[in-house]
Amino acid sequence: IDSSATALTSASYRIGPTAVHATSYLTKVGKIWKLDDVVVQAKRPAYWGKLAVTINGTTAPSDLAFFPGIYQLSTGTSLLEFRTPSFTVEGPGDYTAGLRATPLAQVSVKGQQTMIAKSQELLAHCLVAQETNPKGCGMNTPLPAGATLAPGTVKRTVTTDGTPFAKSTVLMSSRDSSTVSIATFLTVAVEAKYTSGQVYKGNASVVDATGTIDGENLTVVLS
């Protein structure tokens, strides 16, 4: 179809195993017909969050451009992975749907194992900590007004049955692609002495472990 300086053409080609039948608009520049759309441009999807996503091995910039073809995705960390690590761009009208259909990242097997191990490691540290509110532990035991803790007297014991976090499922945060979490409930018996000689007995609980991923590093806090 040709109308003065514009035209519509059709083409058939294959992208991997996919047969594509596409139509394209052309504009006549001088004596040369040129395609109106050669690449498709789009913004980096917001749901990738802070992940260092790569496309065909290259770090994805804020502004993306694609020729028709097959593209391989990577989260940029071995701790996370895409359920469908590739997408196909058949033509200018296909790109947006193809990329948006790519699911959010999920925690890889290594990520699951690392998160559980890091959570157990932090819990072990928290149980022996001698502060009343050890950082990142979620086990605050406030002292009564005027009371002073006797050094080395804090004893914490997990009373919930089973090995903490051992059978936990690690999930992605719905708000941040670089944050993962474990929902749990651990009861911790706390015993301590004040310098007055009075004995304190009580309980604390851990309901969540949150891990922040930065490349291959995973930092965990309990709450």
Side-chain angles (χ1 to χ4, degrees):
I1 301 173
D2 186 349
S3 178
S4 63
T6 62
L8 182 66
T9 187
S10 61
S12 296
Y13 49 90
R14 300 188 71 86
I15 300 177
T18 304
V20 180
H21 303 283
T23 56
S24 301
Y25 286 95
L26 301 94
T27 299
K28 196 171 187 179
V29 180
K31 296 182 179 181
I32 301 175
W33 288 98
K34 294 186 176 182
L35 291 169
D36 288 359
D37 297 310
V38 180
V39 298
V40 177
Q41 297 179 339
K43 293 292 184 180
R44 187 182 194 274
Y47 68 77
W48 287 354
K50 298 178 183 178
L51 295 179
V53 174
T54 64
I55 302 175
N56 288 357
T58 300
T59 300
S62 298
D63 297 310
L64 304 172
F66 297 91
F67 289 104
I70 299 174
Y71 294 88
Q72 300 296 324
L73 287 169
S74 172
T75 62
T77 170
S78 64
L79 304 177
L80 302 173
E81 62 189 8
F82 286 105
R83 290 186 181 88
T84 306
S86 67
F87 65 94
T88 299
V89 177
E90 294 183 1
D94 177 67
Y95 159 70
T96 301
L99 189 57
R100 286 182 178 175
T102 303
L104 294 175
Q106 64 181 4
V107 187
S108 66
V109 172
K110 181 178 179 181
Q112 294 270 349
Q113 295 171 341
T114 302
M115 179 61 182
I116 290 172
K118 291 278 188 178
S119 298
Q120 291 173 332
E121 180 182 322
L122 177 57
L123 177 63
H125 165 78
C126 294
L127 292 176
V128 299
Q130 290 302 301
E131 300 91 338
T132 57
N133 187 19
K135 184 178 180 180
C137 295
M139 298 181 187
N140 187 22
T141 307
L143 296 178
T148 304
L149 183 68
T153 63
V154 179
K155 180 181 179 181
R156 297 183 179 89
T157 306
V158 175
T159 59
T160 305
D161 292 338
T163 303
F165 305 111
K167 297 182 179 180
S168 298
T169 299
V170 184
L171 300 175
M172 297 290 300
S173 167
S174 59
R175 294 184 178 182
D176 187 347
S177 294
S178 61
T179 303
V180 297
S181 64
I182 295 174
T184 186
F185 191 86
L186 301 176
T187 301
V188 179
V190 183
E191 183 176 323
K193 288 184 180 180
Y194 305 135
T195 51
S196 64
Q198 184 179 358
V199 176
Y200 167 86
K201 289 186 179 182
N203 291 295
S205 60
V206 174
V207 298
D208 185 77
T210 301
T212 301
I213 294 173
D214 183 7
E216 295 302 313
N217 297 317
L218 176 63
T219 304
V220 180
V221 296
L222 304 179
S223 60

